Structure formats: C-alpha cells, structure tokens
Amino acid sequence: FDLFTSVAKLNVEAARLLQELLKAGTDSRRPIVDSIKRLEHQADQITHDVVGRLDRTFITPLDREDIHMLASRLDDVMDLIDGTARRIQMFRAGEPPAGALMMAEVIHRATLQLLHAVENLEKSKDGSVLEACKQVKQLEEEGDSLYHEWIGKLFEGATDALLVIKWKEIYDTLERTLDQAEDVSNVLESVSIKHA
C-alpha cells in the first residue's frame, strides 16, 4: 500500500510540473522536462519493486493480479505525463493554447483523487475510495469535453499546419493521460468492492 501511495504521489508531482511546463517559456522548459523524467524513473523503480515483492511473497493483502494491474496502471499515468512533457519539449510548439493548460489542470486534479483513493484503499470502509473514483470519472468526462472543444478550435481558421499537427499530438496525449487515470480508478473501484 505504501508503494502504491508513493507512485500516486509521484504522479501528483509530475502533473503539477506538467502545468508548470506549459506555463514556462520555451527556453526554460528543459529542466522541468528533466524533473518529470526523474519522477518517471522513480515510479518505474517502485513498480519493479512491487512486481519483485509479488514474486517473493506467498500471502498478499490483495489478489496478485490486482496488485500487478494497479501498479502497472499507476505507472502508465506517469509514462503518459512524461510523454506529454517530452512532446512539448521535442516539438518546440511555442505558446500553449488555453485548452492545453485547462486539460493539464484536470489531469492534476485527477491525480489528486487517485492519491486519495490509494491512500484510503487499505483501511477505507466509508466509501471514500469509491467517491474518489467517481470524481476521477467525472474529471475524465470534463477532459473529454475540453479535448473536443479545443481540437475544434485548433483547426478553426488555422494557417500554420505544422503547429496544428504539434498541438493535436499534445492534446491527444493529454487526453490519453486522463483515460489512463480513469483506468486506474476502475481498478481501484474493483479492488475496493472485492475487499470491502
């Protein structure tokens, strides 16, 4: 449970840095991208530790496949945040559209809800895990609405096709990050119901 919480905390920090990255000027983005990459490496290490412990432990607090799935899905959120950060850096896409900032903020709120759910997974009998999962699903829907609205705006009267391609790719990755957060919430919901 502590390892899950550690990865969830790293996700929150990476999501916060992603917001910072989007607000930063093009010349000051590299250190933030590097910080997110470091967090991604830490999350990978913890995930490998979880899998290693699964291998060595006879009795586990949750079903083995649930532990493996939750660890993997949490790590996937981090991978997508890192992927978004790398695209922003690689593409040198310039000033972000307001929609990208809004989606990054929704991702940050989703990671906070996932952290709350993970922290309460072991001891929660009061429905707080399920409530946090419900919030993540609502945030994913909010992110979908933003995605559709801002993809539409991106193509409206655009004159720079290359810039449109760059930001569409970034929007797609932001949207996949929210989808992945919802996947984590589905796993948490399932585990919570099984072990209630």
Side-chain angles (χ1 to χ4, degrees):
F1 291 105
D2 289 343
L3 294 173
F4 291 146
T5 300
S6 296
V7 175
K9 284 180 179 175
L10 291 172
N11 283 347
V12 169
E13 178 60 13
R16 186 193 65 75
L17 284 171
L18 181 62
Q19 289 179 284
E20 198 177 298
L21 177 66
L22 283 162
K23 292 174 187 170
T26 308
D27 295 337
S28 52
R29 286 178 174 164
R30 179 168 291 287
I32 302 169
V33 173
D34 291 344
S35 295
I36 291 172
K37 189 64 188 165
R38 275 193 295 279
L39 294 173
E40 192 267 336
H41 281 309
Q42 288 174 21
D44 278 348
Q45 194 54 54
I46 294 168
T47 303
H48 290 310
D49 194 14
V50 168
V51 172
R53 286 185 186 201
L54 261 182
D55 226 15
R56 296 187 308 270
T57 306
F58 184 67
I59 297 172
T60 58
L62 304 170
D63 295 343
R64 288 176 182 282
E65 53 277 354
D66 289 339
I67 292 171
H68 188 271
M69 190 176 296
L70 182 54
S72 298
R73 296 289 192 277
L74 278 167
D75 188 52
D76 290 344
V77 172
M78 176 62 81
D79 291 343
L80 284 163
I81 292 171
D82 178 54
T84 305
R86 289 184 163 282
R87 282 167 176 79
I88 291 166
Q89 176 68 23
M90 253 184 345
F91 296 161
R92 291 172 176 70
E95 189 74 22
L101 292 164
M102 293 161 89
M103 286 185 75
E105 193 268 333
V106 173
I107 289 168
H108 184 247
R109 284 190 286 147
T111 60
L112 286 168
Q113 289 299 324
L114 290 176
L115 173 60
H116 178 72
V118 167
E119 286 176 331
N120 287 288
L121 188 60
E122 184 177 16
K123 58 193 174 297
S124 176
K125 303 287 186 239
D126 63 357
S128 60
V129 172
L130 295 178
E131 181 54 35
C133 292
K134 182 177 155 194
Q135 293 298 318
V136 172
K137 289 169 195 287
Q138 288 173 349
L139 288 166
E140 193 276 333
E141 288 173 14
E142 183 181 334
D144 272 352
S145 293
L146 286 169
Y147 173 77
H148 293 117
E149 176 186 350
W150 285 91
I151 285 288
K153 287 182 180 184
L154 187 62
F155 284 93
E156 249 173 36
T159 55
D160 185 345
L162 197 54
L163 198 59
V164 168
I165 291 167
K166 290 175 182 182
W167 280 107
K168 176 166 183 330
E169 176 73 22
I170 292 166
Y171 274 129
D172 288 349
T173 314
L174 289 166
E175 202 265 339
R176 281 198 313 271
T177 306
L178 282 166
D179 287 346
Q180 191 59 52
E182 185 181 24
D183 285 351
V184 175
S185 77
N186 290 336
V187 174
L188 283 163
E189 211 171 54
S190 168
V191 169
S192 178
I193 289 166
K194 266 196 228 178
H195 297 275

